[in-house]
Amino acid sequence: NNPPGILALLDEECWFPKATDVSFVEKLMNTQGNHMKFSKPKQLKDKTEVVGLETIAKMSDSSTPSSSKTKKGMFRTVGQLYKESLAKLMVTLHNTQPNFVRCIIPNHEKRAGKLDANLVLEQLRCNGVLEGIRICRQGFPNRIVFQEFRQRYEILAANAIPKGFMDGKQACCLMIKHLDLDPNLYRIGQSKIFFRTGVLAQLEEERDLKITVVIIAFQSQARGYLARKAFAKRQQQLTAMKVIQRNCAAYLKLRNWQWWRLFTKVKPLLQVTRQEEEMGLKEEELKSAKDNAI
């Protein structure tokens, strides 16, 4: 079993009324003495230079606002206060997206457009930016859940995932295998995929290129359809114009012909006679229908 940590031992010592700094140090040496990162002092003096537990309790009470005081009869140790503050900080970090802004002085002369490379490099080194970048590159800072990774980058491995339901982790493994990524650039967890710095940026560029190709193909198909439709409409209009021109030319030739004038005058009379014949036929049909009904 792993021995309790430093804060757990301090929390335990705070509950005993007769606990002292020396007893805390002795318990710490007994439990953590074999730890590789713990070094015992060569000679433990009676007056150990350790901040007293009572002093820590007073400091914690003075640092907490009056609104956060507990009820009468409750006692919170330093370890409990530290755990509560750490838990609140972690909740805030998980619920937000913190951004760190570091101000860099380009030069000591306060001149615009002038950049002192050595000065900027020293500031970046002293501020820990370069060290943070190095640590970030060694680890896997970028992480994404399986479902989001599949929805966003499935276009890059369209034929890798078979149809039907599949577990998110298995689908992501097939996508990673199809993308042919270096195993050193990613790690697959229980619910997320972890990537090294720059891998997601590369995947985003490939995704943008793929989407651009798809959009261009869709636009070409849509424009081709509209162009063919407009061309067919123009052909119909051209055919109609030819028919109108042909009829107009025929009319100009026949309008002064005497037989045509006679035909235009006789044609309405022929239609009247046809209407009378049709009316007679309708009356005969009506009489026959009445006789059948009777």
Side-chain angles (χ1 to χ4, degrees), residues 59-247:
M59 291 171 61
S60 62
D61 293 338
S62 61
S63 62
T64 53
S66 58
S67 59
S68 63
K69 290 183 179 180
T70 57
K71 296 181 181 180
K72 186 176 181 180
M74 295 182 64
F75 175 73
R76 291 192 299 176
T77 61
V78 179
Q80 290 177 347
L81 293 175
Y82 180 78
K83 289 181 181 179
E84 291 177 2
S85 62
L86 181 60
K88 292 179 181 178
L89 177 61
M90 295 304 296
V91 169
T92 304
L93 292 177
H94 283 298
N95 294 334
T96 57
Q97 294 181 354
N99 297 314
F100 300 94
V101 179
R102 295 185 182 274
C103 299
I104 303 298
I105 301 175
N107 56 76
H108 291 298
E109 301 175 3
K110 297 182 179 180
R111 292 178 56 184
K114 183 179 179 181
L115 184 65
D116 190 352
N118 294 327
L119 177 62
V120 173
L121 186 60
E122 288 179 0
Q123 293 180 77
L124 293 176
R125 186 181 293 109
C126 294
N127 290 337
V129 176
L130 298 180
E131 186 67 17
I133 294 174
R134 187 184 65 81
I135 296 173
C136 184
R137 292 180 65 88
Q138 289 181 354
F140 300 87
N142 299 326
R143 62 196 68 182
I144 184 171
V145 296
F146 294 142
Q147 187 67 22
E148 185 179 355
F149 180 80
R150 179 178 179 180
Q151 291 178 355
R152 189 164 185 83
Y153 302 106
E154 190 175 1
I155 189 173
L156 299 177
N159 300 325
I161 302 176
K163 295 183 179 180
F165 176 77
M166 178 176 286
D167 184 57
K169 187 174 182 179
Q170 296 179 0
C172 292
C173 291
L174 293 176
M175 291 174 60
I176 291 293
K177 185 178 180 180
H178 185 271
L179 293 174
D180 196 14
L181 291 177
D182 187 2
N184 191 31
L185 298 179
Y186 67 91
R187 292 291 186 273
I188 299 177
Q190 297 296 329
S191 60
K192 296 180 181 180
I193 303 181
F194 300 84
F195 294 97
R196 292 193 184 275
T197 305
V199 179
L200 283 183
Q202 182 181 357
L203 292 178
E204 284 291 334
E205 292 180 359
E206 295 179 0
R207 178 176 177 270
D208 292 341
L209 293 175
K210 189 70 174 180
I211 292 177
T212 302
V213 172
V214 173
I215 294 298
I216 290 175
F218 175 75
Q219 288 180 346
S220 63
Q221 292 291 334
R223 290 177 180 177
Y225 171 77
L226 294 176
R228 288 189 294 270
K229 190 175 181 181
F231 179 73
K233 185 177 181 181
R234 292 291 181 88
Q235 283 187 330
Q236 292 177 359
Q237 292 177 352
L238 181 61
T239 304
M241 290 174 62
K242 291 180 178 179
V243 172
I244 293 173
Q245 289 178 353
R246 185 169 60 250
N247 291 333

Side-chain angles (χ1 to χ4, degrees), residues 48-61:
T48 308
E49 295 181 357
V50 181
V51 179
L53 300 179
E54 297 178 357
T55 306
I56 295 177
K58 292 179 180 179
M59 291 171 61
S60 62
D61 293 338

